[in-house]
Amino acid sequence: MAIRVLIVDDSALMRKLLQARLGREEDIEVVGLACDAQEARSLIKALNPDVVTLDIEMPGMDGLSFLQKIMQLRPTPVIIVSGTTREGDRNTVRALQLGAISCYAKSDHHAGGPGDDGGALAALVREAAQVSFRKPASIAPTAPAAQATPQPAARREPARLVALGASTGGVEALCKLLGQFPRNCPPTVIVQHVNARFAPAIAHSLDSACPARVVLAETDTRLEQGTVYLAPGGDRHMLVATAGTLGHRVVLRQGPEVSGHRPSVDVLFGSVAEVFGAAAVGALLTGMGQDGARGLLKMQQKGAHTIAQDAESCVVYGMPRAAVELGAARKMLPLDRIAGNIFAPGESTREAVAS
């Protein structure tokens, strides 16, 4: 069955352009076009689309306000179609925090004919269509808990490094998680799958939410206590390395995609395993695909404490599921318990992942 999409944009030209790009796909059907929030609200009720593409800058009710109403009243996977201004970037990041699934930058795909985005929008629509917003817990059907091999009991020392990986739904998750970090947290490194254009705005937004300092990573930067380093995206992977007497550092390195991504969580986690071993904690958060699962397993095999976000609190239980299936996670926890577990050095890891 085709994925049913509603396009919401105040520009008639952009509506036609997006419709043409999606109209080329056999598995996607554009079922409606709306020029503002009022028209979109009526069409959502009438058409019940699988995915909505939403422009933020619209007359009347703006896209952010409309997104909040969608998520409160009729949760639907939303792709933000972002403008070209710095304020547009900040609003896009805010939309991701409010529950939008992903973003599509007009500036990256505006020129040329209908097919010039290389299928980028269609790929985002297919990803968004896999998201299923959960009903309230009181009426949600009970799902069997994911199983994993219990790990042996161990006492662990305070982490010298925290490594986090996330994709779909990750901006919102990171905002909540980092908000629980102590100001003087261990150096923390993050790969979040996102268009590189939005990375600076994401770093700024996370910095506002986190007691510690959040910065966009730069190559050959010394890892410091109380600082969180976000991978800048683009054509470089982020790793950690030791530079002799200079200590532990962040390194940005060009290279091919790994596990379908650049930067890749697998690359980051693999470097953390080699450099920090058992002195690190790794957590794999919500996201589509399998990136990070093998890297988390490497960390676990080196003695690191490893965590996967549980299915109930994930927007997409893909990356954490892959880690659990590999036996890479010592614990599987809801998002609101992960920070407490990261900073609980005296705790036994006897608790099984499936508990």
Side-chain angles (χ1 to χ4, degrees):
M1 183 179 295
I3 302 168
R4 306 171 73 254
V5 179
L6 172 65
I7 294 172
V8 185
D9 200 298
D10 67 327
S11 165
L13 176 62
M14 185 56 63
R15 292 196 299 272
K16 291 179 180 179
L17 186 63
L18 298 180
Q19 182 180 28
R21 288 175 179 170
L22 294 179
R24 298 166 59 92
E25 310 295 329
E26 294 183 358
D27 60 334
I28 297 174
E29 178 187 4
V30 176
V31 295
L33 303 170
C35 65
D36 57 26
Q38 182 175 357
E39 185 177 13
R41 183 166 47 230
S42 298
L43 290 178
I44 288 174
K45 291 180 180 179
L47 301 173
N48 193 28
D50 300 311
V51 177
V52 173
T53 72
L54 178 62
D55 183 21
I56 292 180
E57 300 172 2
M58 298 188 299
M61 182 183 291
D62 64 88
L64 286 177
S65 299
F66 184 51
L67 174 64
Q68 287 182 289
K69 289 188 175 296
I70 291 175
M71 302 313 294
Q72 290 170 359
L73 302 176
R74 198 184 186 104
T76 304
V78 172
I79 297 169
I80 294 299
V81 178
S82 172
T84 59
T85 65
R86 181 174 297 181
E87 182 64 24
D89 289 354
R90 287 196 290 265
N91 285 337
T92 296
V93 172
R94 177 60 180 152
L96 292 171
Q97 292 174 330
L98 290 172
I101 300 303
S102 56
C103 49
Y104 180 83
K106 292 180 181 179
S107 60
D108 291 347
H109 309 294
H110 187 69
D116 73 342
D117 75 343
L121 179 59
L124 292 177
V125 167
R126 294 186 184 101
E127 179 178 299
Q130 297 182 54
V131 175
S132 177
F133 289 98
R134 302 181 186 281
K135 298 177 181 179
S138 61
I139 59 174
T142 301
Q147 299 297 310
T149 303
Q151 302 299 322
R155 306 289 288 186
R156 54 189 174 93
E157 297 301 318
R160 292 173 56 203
L161 182 91
V162 177
L164 306 174
S167 186
T168 313
V171 174
E172 179 183 12
L174 286 169
C175 187
K176 294 177 180 177
L177 176 60
L178 294 179
Q180 300 177 52
F181 271 40
R183 183 179 300 276
N184 196 36
C185 66
T188 299
V189 287
I190 303 173
V191 166
Q192 159 70 47
H193 297 160
V194 71
N195 186 313
R197 172 186 148 186
F198 301 113
I202 291 174
H204 177 77
S205 180
L206 294 178
D207 184 56
S208 299
C210 182
R213 185 171 69 110
V214 181
V215 300
L216 205 62
E218 297 180 5
T219 195
D220 202 32
T221 300
R222 183 185 176 117
L223 290 167
E224 296 181 351
Q225 198 88 3
T227 305
V228 178
Y229 303 86
L230 177 70
D235 61 353
R236 295 178 295 175
H237 292 290
M238 184 169 81
L239 306 87
V240 296
T242 301
T245 59
L246 297 177
H248 300 304
R249 311 185 83 74
V250 171
V251 176
L252 302 179
R253 183 178 300 166
Q254 291 186 331
E257 291 185 351
V258 175
S259 302
H261 295 278
R262 185 179 56 233
S264 165
V265 184
D266 273 328
V267 170
L268 174 63
F269 282 5
S271 71
V272 171
E274 293 301 318
V275 174
F276 284 89
V281 174
L284 196 54
L285 308 180
T286 176
M288 193 78 64
Q290 300 182 349
D291 186 28
R294 288 179 295 177
L296 197 69
L297 179 61
K298 290 179 181 178
M299 289 183 64
Q300 189 247 82
Q301 290 170 338
K302 290 286 187 177
H305 184 59
T306 54
I307 304 166
Q309 185 179 349
D310 74 353
E312 291 301 313
S313 64
C314 281
V315 171
V316 179
Y317 185 55
M319 288 158 50
R321 180 198 294 274
V324 169
E325 291 175 348
L326 280 179
R330 294 183 185 275
K331 285 197 175 182
M332 183 170 64
L333 296 170
L335 182 64
D336 61 4
R337 289 180 56 198
I338 291 177
N341 191 253
I342 289 173
F343 303 111
E347 175 183 274
S348 169
T349 61
R350 186 185 301 276
E351 180 182 354
V353 172
S355 63

